[in-house]
Amino acid sequence: MQILPLARVKRIMREGAEDVKNIATEANYVLGRAAELFLQELAVRAHAAMQQDVKRKANMLDYKDVAAVVHSWEALDFLLEVVPKKVSAASILALLEQQQQQQQREKEQ
C-alpha cells in the first residue's frame, strides 16, 4: 500500500532537478516507497528516543526526539543542518558568559 501520493512524489522529483522532464512510473514508485521506509525508520527511532526520556509526562513525539535520532545516527548526517539540536536560551547565555570570562582572563595575561 502506497501512503505518499505518487503525484506529489513526482512533483518533488521534478522540482529537485530542473533538467528532468519525464519520470518513469517505476522510478516514481520506488522513490516514493523509499521515502516511506525512510520516514518509518526515522519515526520508529524517534519513538524509541521518546520512550527513553523518563522525565517526559506526555506520550507525544516531539522535535527533540527527532533531533536526537538525527544527531545519533551517522546515516543522517546530511540532516544535521536541517534538524539542529534544540538548545535552551539559558545554556546559550551560560556559554556566552564562559567565553567572555575566558577572553577577560586572556586579556589580563
Side-chain angles (χ1 to χ4, degrees), residues 35-103:
E36 288 176 1
L37 292 172
F38 170 76
L39 291 172
Q40 180 180 7
E41 183 64 25
L42 182 61
V44 166
R45 289 178 183 238
H47 182 260
M50 177 192 74
Q51 289 182 325
Q52 291 176 357
D53 187 358
V54 294
K55 297 178 185 176
R56 177 165 303 195
K57 295 176 184 171
N59 193 19
M60 182 175 76
L61 198 62
D62 197 5
Y63 176 90
K64 68 179 180 178
D65 303 316
V66 176
V69 172
V70 168
H71 287 266
S72 66
W73 188 12
E74 192 175 319
L76 298 181
D77 281 353
F78 69 97
L79 290 175
L80 289 175
E81 291 180 13
V82 178
V83 185
K85 279 189 176 178
K86 243 182 175 178
V87 180
S88 68
S91 64
I92 290 175
L93 291 173
L95 181 63
L96 288 173
E97 187 175 321
Q98 287 176 352
Q99 288 176 347
Q100 288 174 349
Q101 290 173 357
Q102 180 70 24
Q103 289 173 352

